[in-house]
Amino acid sequence: MRRSLAGVALAVTSMVALSFLIPLGALVMSLVKAQAVTAAEQRAAALAPVLTLTTDPSALRESVASLDSAQQLVVHLPADAGALGSSKAPAGLLERAQQGRESISQAIPDGWICLQPVVLPGDRVAVIENFVPEEELTHGVKESWAVMSFLAVALIGGSVLVADRLGAKVVRSSKKLAQASRALGQGDLDTRVDPVGPKELRDAGVAFNAMAHRMTELLAVERELVADLSHRLRTPLTALHLASERMEGTPESARVEAAVCELEAELRAIIAAARTPLAVGPMGQGMLGTEPPTGHDAGAGASGPRCEAADVVRRRTTFWSVLAEQQNRSCSLDLTQEPTTVGLSDDDVAAVVDALIGNIFRHTAPGTPFAVQVVRTAQAVELVVADGGPGIPEPDLALSRGSSTGSTGLGLDIAGRAATATGGSVHIGRGPLGGAHITVSFALAARAPTGRRPRISRRRPAWPRRR
């Protein structure tokens, strides 16, 4: 922007300067020429009264010397008296002035000639000649042009400098606003801008600060609401605890108590996550999320949360297998033996597994089989969850929260955000069981070099047969 503003100032000021400089230059040249010619005509006119009084050559020479130190003034006496001085007038012009008694002032090849006829007693005609050389016609013109050019350049340079300073102020304000916007987009909710610059940018800065403040308030209210709603579930949990105590001694007592304890632990984790600072949220990227890593840096951070995805998947699948057994669902689990370290916490990976398997129980009929698999590739860990249900008719629409009919879309959204946080992705298709086949890819996290190249499992999944 600074360069554009400076260019505009340069172009506009240059056009204005040229529009004045060219006419002024021509005017200066015309004025200098007019002054030189007028001075020559005045000298000739001053000598005319002397010539009417006397034609004595010595007296005329004294008068000429007093009027013209450059010796450009010449007197042509009548008849054969000759000329006093060195004449530069063309013969034709001189004859026209004598015969026609005509005052002549015009340019000749070397300068300007002025011929002034004087009528003497006895009807005789003398001619006063004054020659102005070319140097006198342009005396001081180049210096005047140089001064005007210098002033024009100074004016252009000053305007460009002022435009650059103004542009720098505008650009500085714009850059600060852009930096604050990027910081806010990356999860820094405390970022604010100092409204400076032109009125429009100051208004934009004030509006940005108001937006950031309002966003922080809304997010805080939303997270506190989530925590409060989760806390309210502790009341029915207490009732379940009491019910499990009354069932003590029955075969179902231990299983119900374990499920209640697991649910209570999940609620405590939800409340703790909801009440963490706004700039630190789930998925290891902050509540608002940051730009997903790309290329070699994807999932390669040496700091931040880390876990073994296969271990988390094993624990959560074991938890869900109890409910699957009650609903007569076959559950297959296939885990790679290679390291599956990803840049997420245990809770993040567990949330993905619970969301995907929970969708199976929510949207398929009892008895529908499902399979869970963890595959290690060269650069990623893939979590594959497949079922034998009706499948997902519109995979792209299902990835948008709230777009699916009869569903909030939250489960797939959790999986998508977790995968994006590590630089991975989510793919929905139809698997060998006949239903949905969801693949969540997590980029591998960096680990200390061991000097050995890890072996990559190439086993194909052992999918269970459909019932």
Side-chain angles (χ1 to χ4, degrees):
M1 181 179 291
R2 291 178 59 183
R3 188 173 300 177
S4 300
L5 290 176
V8 171
L10 175 62
V12 173
T13 313
S14 298
M15 288 188 294
V16 173
L18 287 176
S19 65
F20 282 95
L21 190 61
I22 294 175
L24 282 177
L27 180 60
V28 167
M29 177 178 284
S30 176
L31 288 176
V32 170
K33 182 178 179 180
Q35 288 177 355
V37 172
T38 301
E41 292 175 348
Q42 288 175 351
R43 288 194 296 269
L47 186 60
V50 178
L51 192 59
T52 58
L53 296 176
T54 180
T55 58
D56 181 52
S58 59
L60 292 175
R61 286 191 180 94
E62 290 179 2
S63 299
V64 169
S66 64
L67 291 174
D68 182 21
S69 60
Q71 299 181 356
Q72 300 295 340
L73 197 60
V74 178
V75 178
H76 296 272
L77 297 175
D80 297 330
L84 301 179
S86 177
S87 176
K88 292 184 172 57
L93 291 179
L94 185 59
E95 183 179 359
R96 194 175 79 183
Q98 289 176 339
Q99 299 296 330
R101 302 180 181 183
E102 175 185 356
S103 297
I104 298 175
S105 179
Q106 69 177 48
I108 61 175
D110 295 329
W112 192 273
I113 194 73
C114 295
L115 299 177
Q116 178 67 41
V118 179
V119 179
L120 301 178
D123 201 28
R124 296 178 302 167
V125 177
V127 177
I128 301 173
E129 171 191 337
N130 197 350
F131 173 72
V132 182
E134 187 71 28
E135 293 78 8
E136 292 187 14
L137 293 175
T138 59
H139 180 70
V141 172
K142 292 183 179 179
E143 290 78 2
S144 300
W145 285 359
V147 172
M148 290 188 294
S149 300
F150 175 77
L151 293 176
V153 171
L155 176 63
I156 293 173
S159 64
V160 171
L161 181 61
V162 171
D164 181 71
R165 291 298 89 198
L166 293 176
K169 189 175 182 180
V170 174
V171 169
R172 193 180 304 113
S173 303
S174 302
K175 284 184 177 179
K176 288 182 179 179
L177 185 58
Q179 291 171 357
S181 300
R182 283 193 294 268
L184 183 64
Q186 293 173 356
D188 185 4
L189 299 181
D190 294 329
T191 184
R192 296 294 185 273
V193 296
D194 183 17
V196 293
K199 182 180 182 301
E200 292 77 7
L201 285 178
R202 292 199 303 271
D203 293 343
V206 172
F208 174 85
N209 290 339
M211 178 193 67
H213 181 70
R214 181 60 176 165
M215 180 184 298
T216 304
E217 289 182 344
L218 292 176
L219 289 174
V221 171
E222 180 182 356
R223 290 169 68 82
E224 193 63 27
L225 179 61
V226 171
D228 292 344
L229 292 176
S230 303
H231 195 275
R232 290 167 60 184
L233 293 177
R234 286 186 170 180
T235 300
L237 274 178
T238 303
L240 289 176
H241 271 299
L242 296 176
S244 65
E245 290 177 359
R246 289 195 297 269
M247 295 172 58
E248 187 175 357
T250 63
E252 298 293 329
S253 175
R255 186 165 59 188
V256 171
E257 182 64 24
V260 172
C261 291
E262 184 74 23
L263 182 56
E264 187 173 13
E266 291 294 332
L267 282 178
R268 284 197 301 269
I270 292 174
I271 295 173
R275 286 178 172 167
T276 52
L278 288 177
V280 180
M283 306 307 177
Q285 298 292 324
M287 186 197 69
L288 293 179
T290 60
E291 294 182 2
T294 57
H296 177 71
D297 295 332
S303 61
R306 298 160 65 91
C307 72
E308 287 293 327
D311 295 341
V312 179
V313 173
R314 179 186 293 108
R315 292 197 303 269
R316 300 312 302 161
T317 305
T318 302
F319 170 80
W320 285 98
S321 63
V322 177
L323 182 59
E325 183 179 354
Q326 293 180 354
Q327 294 189 3
N328 197 27
R329 298 175 184 267
S330 65
C331 174
S332 171
L333 178 63
D334 182 22
L335 303 176
T336 179
Q337 300 302 316
E338 298 294 330
T340 56
T341 306
V342 297
L344 296 172
S345 66
D346 289 6
D347 292 339
D348 292 336
V349 178
V352 174
V353 177
D354 290 343
L356 297 180
I357 298 180
N359 281 344
I360 296 176
F361 282 83
R362 190 174 301 110
H363 299 293
T364 62
T368 302
F370 67 94
V372 181
Q373 182 188 23
V374 176
V375 180
R376 162 75 182 269
T377 64
Q379 297 180 351
V381 175
E382 294 182 354
L383 168 63
V384 182
V385 178
D387 62 70
I392 300 176
E394 298 180 353
D396 294 335
L397 187 62
L399 290 173
S400 301
R401 179 183 294 193
S403 299
S404 301
T405 303
S407 171
T408 63
L410 180 60
L412 292 176
D413 182 73
I414 292 174
R417 288 190 293 115
T420 302
T422 65
S425 60
V426 177
H427 176 72
I428 301 177
R430 187 171 292 274
L433 293 178
H437 182 275
I438 302 174
T439 303
V440 183
S441 176
F442 307 105
L444 284 169
R447 56 193 181 92
T450 60
R452 297 176 55 188
R453 186 175 181 181
R455 296 177 58 191
I456 308 301
S457 174
R458 303 292 184 181
R459 292 190 303 160
R460 297 184 62 83
W463 300 106
R465 296 179 180 177
R466 294 186 62 188
R467 294 186 176 183

